Amino acid sequence: MYVERKAGALEGPARIGWVTFSKTGKTIRYNGQSFQSLKGRGFKSNYIDIETGDEYWISGVRRDRQDRL
């Protein structure tokens, strides 16, 4: 998946990595962090880090490499 940290900016550090989903599918885990969906309430972000409150854009990787939102 494509994971980009927003943290108050429109563009932030990003990387492509392997994520895992919880049994319910409501939580995504990546690199020791846990994310929950903002359910459409975020501005240019769709997930939030449960521990820090930082916002992230997490999506599937695109073939045309235009992953940035």
Side-chain angles (χ1 to χ4, degrees), residues 5 7 32-35 47-56:
R5 182 174 182 245
Q33 297 172 293
S34 296
F35 303 96
Y47 283 88
I48 189 166
D49 185 333
I50 295 171
E51 291 182 18
T52 64
D54 290 340
E55 294 184 355
Y56 286 78

Side-chain angles (χ1 to χ4, degrees), residues 2-69:
Y2 175 78
V3 180
E4 180 179 358
R5 182 174 182 245
K6 294 298 185 172
L10 291 179
E11 289 187 4
R15 69 177 353 151
I16 294 173
W18 191 266
V19 302
T20 57
F21 293 89
S22 66
K23 285 185 179 183
T24 62
K26 294 182 179 182
T27 304
I28 293 177
R29 291 186 184 89
Y30 171 72
N31 199 23
Q33 297 172 293
S34 296
F35 303 96
Q36 281 190 332
S37 174
L38 289 172
K39 299 178 185 168
R41 294 174 293 168
F43 176 71
K44 300 289 184 180
S45 59
N46 58 356
Y47 283 88
I48 189 166
D49 185 333
I50 295 171
E51 291 182 18
T52 64
D54 290 340
E55 294 184 355
Y56 286 78
W57 175 257
I58 301 176
S59 66
V61 179
R62 293 176 49 163
R63 288 179 188 240
D64 63 3
R65 298 183 181 179
Q66 300 298 314
D67 293 304
R68 287 211 184 262
L69 179 65

